[in-house]
Amino acid sequence: AELRARGVPVEVVGLGGLMAEPEVADLVATLRVLADPLAGSAAARLLTGARWRIGAADLAALWRRARELATPQDGSPLDVAVAEQAEMTGLVDAIDDPGPADRYSEEGYRRIRALSRELAALRSRLDQTLPELVADIERTMLLDVEAVARPGSVGRVHLDAFADVVTEFAESSSSPTLLAFVDYLAAAEHAEDGLEPGEVVVATD
């Protein structure tokens, strides 16, 4: 970040570093939400990211809705305790079913419903190959547009690099499914957590 602030173009080497770039992080978050309905942290990233910008009050209302959906009617104390834990992971369900509009700001509710429709459309097209799905997510979530808007088109470079990772995985894996790829990304992210010396390459023009 400091190098870029000084106008020096840089590239972070390694999949873990690539996934830290904003446009790729949003793409990965979408993949995780599509693969796992309990991916609450990934859903929160989408909601609060540059595109949707859901405010704190609307996000809190959505968390309450997640807990409401997870709590059985007339549940036992054990059921309630389980529901309290599920609140942190049930955000995807709340996006799909946010409840009454008057719980949210008018704009916040509109954005939540728009995100819900986009995720539903993507779920209906999960039979695509991984490379096709990733390209579809870019278009549907307007990540390609946001990437081009970044200075120096660095965002497009990152999305292209991630597309290469997707293609390589799809061609080399014995099980190139969405869930397998999400697990692969999680393992890579864990293995490369934090930058080590030599992981940053300074590009020269």
Side-chain angles (χ1 to χ4, degrees):
E2 289 294 330
L3 289 169
R4 286 172 179 158
R6 295 171 184 269
V8 180
V10 300
E11 177 184 356
V12 180
V13 177
L15 180 54
L18 183 62
M19 287 193 292
E21 297 296 339
E23 53 283 327
V24 178
D26 287 343
L27 180 49
V28 171
T30 305
L31 287 169
R32 287 174 173 160
V33 167
L34 294 174
D36 181 7
L38 299 182
S41 59
R45 176 181 175 84
L46 293 180
L47 288 163
T48 59
R51 183 177 177 205
W52 299 109
R53 302 189 306 279
I54 300 299
D58 287 325
L59 188 61
L62 205 57
W63 281 122
R64 288 193 293 271
R65 177 59 175 168
R67 182 178 181 180
E68 182 179 285
L69 291 171
T71 304
Q73 294 296 321
D74 301 321
S76 67
L78 178 58
D79 290 333
V80 173
V82 170
E84 289 175 351
Q85 181 67 27
E87 175 192 358
M88 298 304 293
T89 56
L91 193 56
V92 178
D93 288 336
I95 292 172
D96 291 338
D97 180 9
D102 59 8
R103 297 182 178 183
Y104 309 88
S105 68
E106 182 177 350
E107 182 61 19
Y109 184 77
R110 185 193 68 78
R111 293 179 183 179
I112 291 168
R113 297 303 295 164
L115 173 58
S116 175
R117 287 192 296 271
E118 290 191 359
L119 291 175
L122 288 168
R123 289 189 194 105
S124 72
R125 302 194 293 269
L126 289 180
D127 57 345
Q128 302 177 89
T129 66
L130 271 177
E132 290 172 337
L133 176 61
V134 168
D136 193 1
I137 291 172
E138 277 190 34
R139 293 188 298 269
T140 301
M141 307 296 281
L142 302 182
L143 297 177
D144 50 351
V145 176
E146 293 180 20
V148 171
R150 291 191 65 186
S153 297
V154 65
R156 183 66 260 172
V157 172
H158 294 146
L159 287 175
D160 289 343
F162 187 75
D164 290 340
V165 172
V166 174
T167 299
E168 181 180 354
F169 179 86
E171 293 176 348
S172 62
S173 174
S174 60
S175 178
T177 64
L178 172 59
L179 187 57
F181 185 58
V182 168
D183 288 342
Y184 168 77
L185 293 178
E189 192 172 36
H190 179 73
E192 298 188 25
D193 188 19
L195 293 177
E196 297 295 333
E199 282 195 307
V200 175
V201 176
V202 179
T204 57
D205 294 330

